[in-house]
Amino acid sequence: MELIRNKMPDFCRPQELVNRYIAGISKNIIVSGPFADMRFLKTAENSSRGFCQLILGTYEIELHPVIDSLCQKPFYSIINIGAAEGYYAVGFAFRNPKVQVIAFETKPTGRSAIEKNAAINNVRDRINIKGTCTLSALSEILLKSVPGEKQLMILDVEGGEKDFLAPEILPAIRHKHILVELHAFIHPKIESILKNRFSDTHQIKTIDSEPRTIENFPPSLSHRTWFIPKKYKLGSIYEHRPQAMRWLYLRPKLGR
């Protein structure tokens, strides 16, 4: 039996069949979470496994309370560095009808996906899609910031957070709301470095990844997934991270 499983093509494996079924019944509409009802396309950047978490709305579920809170704030613009296929860039534009989003993504396939996802959600005119972010490009954007108005930075930069979140080089970030994914396996001391840099200017909230449970599976799909064994439902929302993840939400102390 083990030999048969090892030789089975991926598309025939039970978990893959479940993931494809769930993606199909969603009709490209996110089922739950802060971006529920937003349309999101499966692209070459997303395996069926990864797409399933996005379309179910369980992706990075640990961040949902913070994301919901940020969606209530009157940001005039959002800078998303490492935007991938646009889940957050398009999501925030979808939730905030007036916000302007600047989305940096290195991969051309990712930028193409952002454009498509923005278009099908009618927010393309409010998302400025750019390539690789540099310190000079970020500095130029921050210098054009409107004094006194709220601005959010979202970073998932695979270890680059140490370079981009440097107040001594980019002093304007002392006044920004910042949500950053830490990559301690690249920079083991990154959390303490950032906390030291921002302890005087920001309230700092640490968010840890959590194990997924069957309760995380969207109940709104129960009537269409009742026949799927629990282990495969759980498999559809499991994120297969290489290790436990951690994020920091930095909120300016001056109430901006």
Side-chain angles (χ1 to χ4, degrees):
M1 184 61 70
E2 186 66 26
L3 180 62
I4 294 174
R5 278 198 294 266
N6 289 338
K7 290 185 175 295
M8 185 182 296
D10 286 346
F11 67 87
C12 291
R13 295 178 184 273
Q15 186 64 67
E16 176 66 12
L17 294 173
V18 168
N19 291 349
R20 287 161 56 194
Y21 172 75
I22 289 172
I25 64 175
S26 73
K27 296 182 180 179
N28 293 321
I29 298 175
I30 294 177
V31 175
S32 66
F35 305 134
D37 299 326
M38 181 176 85
R39 296 183 179 277
F40 204 78
L41 299 174
K42 186 178 184 303
T43 67
E45 291 292 286
N46 269 314
S47 65
S48 292
R49 182 179 68 193
F51 181 71
C52 217
Q53 301 144 22
L54 294 167
I55 207 69
L56 286 173
T58 61
Y59 177 68
E60 296 187 340
I61 201 169
E62 303 86 353
L63 300 183
H64 287 189
V66 170
I67 297 297
D68 274 324
S69 173
L70 292 172
C71 285
Q72 305 304 315
K73 296 185 184 299
F75 292 113
Y76 78 95
S77 72
I78 294 172
I79 304 169
N80 185 189
I81 307 175
E85 303 90 6
Y87 183 72
Y88 287 120
V90 178
F92 272 98
F94 179 77
R95 282 286 304 269
N96 299 268
K98 296 181 179 180
V99 76
Q100 299 289 323
V101 178
I102 301 170
F104 286 96
E105 173 50 40
T106 298
K107 295 181 179 178
T109 50
R111 296 196 296 273
S112 175
I114 296 171
E115 185 161 12
K116 292 175 182 176
N117 284 318
I120 63 172
N121 286 286
N122 299 314
V123 298
R124 181 64 185 89
D125 61 325
R126 291 190 287 113
I127 300 182
N128 184 358
I129 304 171
K130 295 180 174 291
T132 300
C133 186
T134 63
L135 279 174
S136 60
L138 181 58
S139 177
E140 183 178 352
I141 290 170
L142 293 173
L143 287 173
K144 294 178 180 178
S145 300
V146 179
E149 293 192 327
K150 293 182 184 295
Q151 193 170 38
L152 169 65
M153 297 176 62
I154 303 172
L155 296 92
D156 181 1
V157 287
E158 306 300 327
E161 54 267 28
K162 180 176 179 290
D163 300 319
F164 287 115
L165 298 179
E168 68 279 8
I169 298 174
L170 301 170
I173 64 177
R174 293 189 176 101
H175 309 294
K176 309 305 179 187
H177 292 252
I178 302 168
L179 180 61
V180 55
E181 181 175 292
L182 303 179
H183 296 82
F185 51 90
I186 298 176
H187 292 296
K189 296 183 179 180
I190 186 61
E191 181 176 357
S192 60
I193 290 172
L194 294 183
K195 285 183 174 180
N196 286 336
R197 288 179 178 178
F198 291 94
S199 59
D200 291 338
T201 57
H202 287 72
Q203 296 174 344
I204 302 174
K205 180 181 178 64
T206 303
I207 305 163
D208 288 303
S209 59
E210 303 169 355
R212 300 296 184 256
T213 69
I214 194 62
E215 284 72 29
N216 298 136
F217 191 89
S220 61
L221 287 185
S222 296
H223 67 294
R224 302 190 70 177
T225 58
W226 60 268
F227 59 92
I228 299 176
K230 287 184 179 180
K231 69 175 182 178
Y232 294 121
K233 286 185 179 180
L234 192 57
S236 70
I237 61 176
Y238 184 65
E239 295 188 11
H240 299 271
R241 302 274 186 166
Q243 64 179 48
M245 299 300 294
R246 176 168 285 181
W247 297 262
L248 295 180
Y249 168 44
L250 311 175
R251 179 178 179 179
K253 288 182 178 179
L254 296 179
R256 296 176 63 179

